Amino acid sequence: MKVVVLGAGIIGVSTAWYLLEQGHEVTVVDRQEDAALETSFANGAQISVSFCEPWANAGAPFKVAKWLLKDDSPLLFRPRLDPAQWRWGLSFLGQCTTAAFERNVEELVQLGRYSHASLKELVAQTGIEYERLERGILHFFSSQADFEAGAIAAEIMQRHGVDRRILNREEVLAVEPALRSFQHGVFGGTFTPSDESGDARIFTQKLAKLCAERGATFLWEHDVLALEQAGGSIVGAQVASRLSGQKRSLKADAYVAAMASYTPALLKPLGEHLNIYPAKGYSATLKLKRPDDASVVSLLDDGRKIAISRLGDTIRIAGTAELAGFDLSLDSATSRSRCASLVKRYEELFPGVADTSEPNFWTGLRPSTPTNIPYIGRSKKAKNLWLNAGHGTLGWTHGAGSGHALAELMAGRAPDMAFGFYGDALPEKRIRSMATA
Ligand SMILES: Cc1cc2nc3c(=O)[nH]c(=O)nc-3n(C[C@H](O)[C@H](O)[C@H](O)COP(=O)(O)OP(=O)(O)OC[C@H]3O[C@@H](n4cnc5c(N)ncnc54)[C@H](O)[C@@H]3O)c2cc1C
């Protein structure tokens, strides 16, 4: 079958890979000149199967209200005259109950496990190298109260079958000795040894090359303009070259929409309404001056809600979220202060370890759903249109598995996990959804 995949981030490229595995003829379209040049470019680098709690939980409304409009808050909500933003916000509030949280966590754990297994298999098969470190993720706390809350969260995750260990200060320092310079600020931590880290951009770009070697066609620098529908099916994807301006309609048997935060706008004219809203995040990548003194275990700094991951001879510091539309700028006063605070915090934790004189700053838009659960499955409006979008804070973690699962669904097979796939993905309803598992 001929398949057109729209979007070449981690999600689109991994979908293309698994479709090629099944012998399909694949064309991938992206407006950029290579894969992973948007949200998958410089993220926190964590494969965090065991740290997958969604933002929506029973305590979130109180925290978000406290942070509302505070420029330096970890989650900043800037109200706009934008119905999509309000719809998302109201739906997010609806997920802020203990029951919804537990349900969402369980699905995210399921997808995370499936994805981790898919990633390991894919890496073993292809030998892709991407600064991978299988050293776990260590979440450390800078106050006793936060540590106690973190220990409760660890117990909740343990109930979902996740190996998240509670560590005292000495145990934290034993897991990551580089934190010694900040030891008096560490009150304890939680540790998930099976998690890992690696560079999503390098992985995705190398996987795209392997896809091309296996016969996939990549149409770079092409905007996806619209989907053409007739009789309940998609009959073409209208694209335009950014170089020549030339428009054409790509014909295929099936289409996959994997355009992250831009997917809802593409599907809206079909009458399909996806609740994905962009949550802007920041990262700083610094060259290491003293690599031997830098961390190798991927870190979560609870005090600032940031991730710190070692990528070869650099360190990546990433975090914060702004719900403020599609703005990607780095030069506003808020952006400048957010970027500066990432570097400042790294220097507090690891003084003199990195070169802070030339930080590489970046912003990306997490394609966020109120549950943090992505749309993976079949469109409700066109039977040959498939969705793989809305991976929020965990698209790198869930990348390989989301591609694998969608290719399985397209082949009429049920992926082996209890996950609520979107739409009528399998006519026989063989999916063990959370309601029936
Ligand atoms: C600061 C930050 C830190 C993060 N940290 C982590 C982490 O540690 N671990 C983790 O698992 N996840 C993390 N994430 C989330 C993760 O990066 C995303 O979920 C993931 O990259 C989404 O992948 P994607 O393929 O859906 O999107 P993208 O990579 O954005 O791919 C979508 C593609 O669609 C293309 N496109 C869009 N519209 C059009 C159009 N009209 N025409 C043509 N092409 C189009 C874009 O060019 C893009 O290449 C983080 C995100 C941010 C912002």
Side-chain angles (χ1 to χ4, degrees):
M1 157 166 102
K2 270 192 182 174
V3 188
V4 168
V5 177
L6 307 168
I10 175 62
I11 303 301
V13 172
S14 68
T15 307
W17 171 261
Y18 287 102
L19 289 170
L20 288 165
E21 288 271 282
Q22 295 182 1
H24 299 301
E25 192 182 323
V26 179
T27 299
V28 184
V29 189
D30 200 286
R31 59 187 170 198
Q32 301 294 343
E33 58 194 26
D34 198 348
L37 292 185
E38 295 206 1
T39 326
S40 307
F41 185 73
N43 66 20
Q46 297 189 325
I47 297 291
S48 52
V49 177
S50 311
F51 278 105
C52 62
E53 292 99 312
W55 288 333
N57 62 59
F62 171 71
K63 275 194 206 152
V64 174
K66 202 173 68 177
W67 290 334
L68 199 66
L69 302 177
K70 250 181 89 187
D71 262 6
D72 59 350
S73 64
L75 200 154
L76 180 69
F77 180 68
R78 281 194 195 284
R80 296 153 55 92
L81 284 174
D82 175 1
Q85 190 198 45
W86 285 94
R87 188 161 77 99
W88 192 95
L90 288 173
S91 181
F92 177 85
L93 285 177
Q95 296 297 322
C96 292
T97 64
T98 303
F101 176 79
E102 293 277 347
R103 204 173 51 235
N104 295 335
V105 162
E106 183 54 31
E107 286 204 49
L108 292 165
V109 168
Q110 291 280 332
L111 179 58
R113 285 207 184 107
Y114 179 85
S115 197
H116 206 180
S118 302
L119 177 70
K120 286 179 182 169
E121 226 175 78
L122 197 162
V123 171
Q125 182 187 352
T126 58
I128 291 186
E129 290 181 359
Y130 54 98
E131 307 293 5
R132 180 185 191 191
L133 284 173
E134 294 170 274
R135 303 290 293 255
I137 296 180
L138 174 62
H139 188 183
F140 66 93
F141 300 89
S142 308
S143 81
Q144 186 59 28
D146 289 340
F147 176 40
E148 283 162 17
I152 293 170
E155 281 159 12
I156 294 172
M157 292 307 287
Q158 287 163 5
R159 287 208 303 276
H160 288 274
V162 162
D163 179 12
R164 193 189 291 183
R165 303 173 189 176
I166 300 167
L167 310 184
N168 64 28
R169 174 188 289 143
E170 279 316 308
E171 290 166 331
V172 167
L173 299 176
V175 169
E176 184 42 273
L179 274 170
R180 285 215 172 270
S181 46
F182 189 70
Q183 57 182 301
H184 298 299
V186 175
F187 282 74
T190 61
F191 179 51
T192 54
S194 56
D195 284 337
E196 41 180 284
S197 57
D199 193 318
R201 175 190 61 81
I202 297 178
F203 176 89
T204 309
Q205 291 180 346
K206 286 190 176 172
L207 190 62
K209 285 208 170 67
L210 290 178
C211 287
E213 281 166 22
R214 291 182 77 167
T217 303
F218 282 86
L219 286 183
W220 300 122
E221 297 181 83
H222 277 72
D223 282 305
V224 177
L225 304 178
L227 293 170
E228 297 150 358
Q229 193 183 18
S233 293
I234 300 301
V235 293
Q238 213 183 94
V239 303
S241 160
R242 285 192 161 191
L243 300 175
S244 66
Q246 197 193 356
K247 284 188 190 169
R248 62 177 152 143
S249 173
L250 301 176
K251 306 288 179 198
D253 302 302
Y255 300 80
V256 176
M259 291 168 24
S261 301
Y262 302 88
T263 314
L266 183 72
L267 269 56
K268 199 172 163 196
L270 308 179
E272 185 124 42
H273 297 283
L274 306 185
N275 203 356
I276 301 174
Y277 195 80
K280 181 179 181 180
Y282 294 81
S283 75
T285 307
L286 308 176
K287 279 215 180 86
L288 291 169
K289 283 197 296 199
R290 296 185 351 235
D292 291 347
D293 297 328
S295 49
V296 283
V297 175
S298 189
L299 301 172
L300 280 169
D301 173 3
D302 190 76
R304 304 298 157 91
K305 311 277 183 245
I306 53 176
I308 300 173
S309 293
R310 176 75 176 265
L311 296 170
D313 59 0
T314 66
I315 200 89
R316 168 82 44 78
I317 311 134
T320 78
E322 286 168 35
L323 291 161
F326 285 81
D327 166 50
L328 271 167
S329 65
L330 268 170
D331 54 4
S332 67
T334 306
S335 302
R336 280 200 299 272
S337 105
R338 285 184 169 242
C339 289
S341 68
L342 293 176
V343 176
K344 185 166 167 248
R345 181 60 171 174
Y346 186 78
E347 193 58 24
E348 264 168 40
L349 298 171
F350 304 102
V353 171
D355 177 0
T356 55
S357 66
E358 282 180 52
N360 221 333
F361 293 126
W362 169 83
T363 62
L365 300 174
R366 300 177 187 86
S368 302
T369 64
T371 54
N372 210 29
I373 296 173
Y375 292 90
I376 306 174
R378 193 203 293 265
S379 154
K380 293 178 180 170
K381 300 293 176 186
K383 59 180 188 297
N384 62 344
L385 173 61
W386 299 81
L387 314 186
N388 215 345
H391 291 74
T393 60
L394 291 170
W396 172 215
T397 304
H398 293 159
S402 297
H404 191 183
L406 190 71
E408 288 294 287
L409 292 173
M410 290 173 74
R413 289 190 291 269
D416 187 20
M417 62 174 141
F419 185 82
F421 292 103
Y422 182 71
D424 180 16
L426 282 172
E428 309 90 346
K429 296 264 184 282
R430 278 183 288 130
I431 298 167
R432 291 181 289 131
S433 77
M434 292 314 297
T436 54

